[in-house]
Structures are given as C-alpha cells and as structure tokens.
Amino acid sequence: MKQLPESYASYLEGKDEGFIATVRPILQQSTAGQINGVRVVLDPHVVQAHIDEGLPFGTIVESVD
C-alpha cells in the first residue's frame, strides 16, 4: 500500500480513533488511484467519507449534509 500523501496524513493528525477508522480507508483508496480527492461529510451523528471525482488527488473537503 502506498504511503498517504502529506495532505492526508496532516488531515488525520489530532483526530480521534473512530474518525480515523472511518476516513482512513477512503484516503487509502484515493491514494491507490491517485486521481481524485476525498469529501468528508460531517453530520452531528455520522461521519462519512467518499471519493469525489470533482476534487483533484490530495485534496480533502469537509462539508455538511
């Protein structure tokens, strides 16, 4: 598995284990493809992450649903 780019590793710094467990697999998927970035959807009760074809690789955007 390729190492996460600095932008992804920095994003995870200081986050709790549950958040990292949710988001890291998608960051790894993005890293494997090296094409698209990741959108993290934050809701008071749920965190979701998915590959976003509108974002360049290495980019993370947080949004609310």
Side-chain angles (χ1 to χ4, degrees):
M1 177 71 58
K2 296 180 181 179
Q3 184 174 348
L4 294 177
E6 181 61 33
S7 59
Y8 289 179
S10 293
Y11 179 76
L12 293 176
E13 286 181 10
K15 302 287 197 272
D16 68 56
E17 292 297 319
F19 186 92
I20 292 171
T22 299
V23 175
R24 186 176 181 85
I26 305 306
L27 298 179
Q28 290 172 324
Q29 182 181 354
S30 173
T31 300
Q34 293 191 349
I35 296 172
N36 302 117
V38 175
R39 180 169 304 273
V40 178
V41 180
L42 304 172
D43 181 278
H45 304 287
V46 177
V47 173
Q48 296 178 329
H50 62 271
I51 300 292
D52 188 322
E53 294 177 1
L55 298 173
F57 171 65
T59 303
I60 299 175
V61 172
E62 289 184 347
S63 62
V64 292
D65 203 24

